[in-house]
Amino acid sequence: MRKVFIAIMLAASNMFAVQAQKVYEVDSCPGYNCWPMIQPVGNRLVCIYTIGKHHDPWEKGRAAFSRYSDDGAKTWSEKVLIDQDAGYGTSSIGKGVDKNGNALFWIRRLDAERRMALYRTSDGKNFELFSTRHLHPTPVQVTDIFHIPDAMACLWFSDDYNHEKANKSWGILISTDNGATWEQRIIEDCLRIDEWPTEPSVAVLGDGRLLAIARSEGDTGYQFQLTSSDWGRTWKRCRTNITDVRESTPSLIFDKASRKIYNYYYQRGPGLLKMRVVDA
């Protein structure tokens, strides 16, 4: 059994000066409860996550559910079914907001076409299936949505986890019509597994600058750094000095007031949540 938990950081005047942590259980139904994606809509937190029988993204019938919280994630509404089909399994893979403040959620449907379904909600209760994109190369995952001048964007990565084949790629999706259509661009392709940045998290620094931190795959134990100085048209990739992590998804928070970037990541094995900070 896997349970969905929410960890609440109770801070002093500085939101990053953590005093205490309390964990609240949200769901403990039998099965594999996983991949929670939380997006604020006004003062409400909206979460989409999936429930299946096993840790198997291809499991047919795996369903995506939603809940919302109006008290800072301490209590949550009853779950509501969002996406389920006997012919495919779902995974909640990314979230963000459109230019009107509506929450957007990417759901990966692992069927023969592996479409990316985009859901939109203005209140966390009513969801609209906004788009079902068929992309090529077909992404393993489309990640969180961020905003650049006159457009929304998100990064993606594609292909399999085969150690022998240099067939991996990553790139960016751009929407200039508030999410109705998306242009897919390839940044790098024909990569080996040790060159492949996956599950990136992006911080928008301004003046054309974007910073993404991505996880590495295979037997490596470091994070990638992806940088752009032209709002995502071109990118540079390098390895970071962060080596105490393996196959773990990073989360970036950019604090505009202090110009600090906070990188949270989970070290598997010892079970440690770690944070690093750097000047923007």
Side-chain angles (χ1 to χ4, degrees), residues 134-139 156 158 184 186:
H134 188 201
L135 303 168
H136 183 76
T138 304
W156 57 268
S158 181
Q184 185 180 16
I186 298 173

Side-chain angles (χ1 to χ4, degrees), residues 95-109:
K95 80 282 183 187
V97 294
D98 65 15
K99 66 181 182 181
N100 304 117
N102 300 308
L104 300 173
F105 292 92
W106 287 108
I107 299 290
R108 178 182 62 200
R109 294 173 170 179

Side-chain angles (χ1 to χ4, degrees), residues 73-241:
K74 295 177 183 177
T75 61
W76 292 81
S77 67
E78 292 298 317
K79 63 176 175 284
V80 175
L81 180 65
I82 299 298
D83 196 320
Q84 184 180 31
D85 191 280
Y88 59 76
T90 65
S91 298
S92 41
I93 54 175
K95 80 282 183 187
V97 294
D98 65 15
K99 66 181 182 181
N100 304 117
N102 300 308
L104 300 173
F105 292 92
W106 287 108
I107 299 290
R108 178 182 62 200
R109 294 173 170 179
L110 283 180
D111 56 6
E113 295 184 316
R114 291 172 64 177
R115 289 183 180 269
M116 304 295 156
L118 184 62
Y119 282 87
R120 178 172 62 187
T121 179
S122 61
D123 57 8
K125 297 180 179 180
N126 302 288
F127 288 80
E128 172 193 6
L129 179 55
F130 191 43
S131 173
T132 52
R133 303 300 303 158
H134 188 201
L135 303 168
H136 183 76
T138 304
V140 174
Q141 186 170 329
V142 175
T143 56
D144 287 353
I145 295 167
F146 56 93
H147 289 254
I148 57 178
D150 302 317
M152 299 190 306
C154 49
L155 298 183
W156 57 268
F157 59 98
S158 181
D159 232 291
D160 55 34
Y161 294 82
N162 186 295
H163 285 237
E164 305 301 324
K165 296 180 180 179
N167 59 352
K168 292 129 187 72
S169 59
W170 69 279
I172 191 169
L173 295 179
I174 303 287
S175 175
T176 57
D177 55 11
N178 210 26
T181 61
W182 296 82
E183 175 193 355
Q184 185 180 16
R185 302 176 187 172
I186 298 173
I187 305 300
E188 290 186 292
D189 59 5
C190 300
L191 298 176
R192 301 189 311 267
I193 195 167
D194 62 342
E195 301 171 320
W196 189 36
T198 64
E199 303 188 9
S201 180
V202 180
V204 180
L205 308 183
D207 297 325
R209 296 178 61 207
L210 303 174
L211 169 68
I213 299 294
R215 94 181 206 176
S216 59
E217 302 295 338
D219 297 326
T220 56
Y222 53 82
Q223 291 180 334
F224 285 108
Q225 177 170 300
L226 314 172
T227 56
S228 174
S229 59
D230 54 12
W231 293 121
R233 286 187 291 272
T234 60
W235 293 80
K236 294 181 180 179
R237 171 175 55 88
C238 65
R239 297 182 182 184
T240 69
N241 65 334

Side-chain angles (χ1 to χ4, degrees), residues 2-26:
R2 294 292 186 271
K3 301 180 180 182
V4 173
F5 294 95
I6 302 295
I8 307 299
M9 300 298 186
L10 304 176
S13 57
N14 185 336
M15 66 176 293
F16 300 107
V18 177
Q19 287 184 326
Q21 175 177 306
K22 185 175 181 179
V23 178
Y24 298 84
E25 182 177 304
V26 178

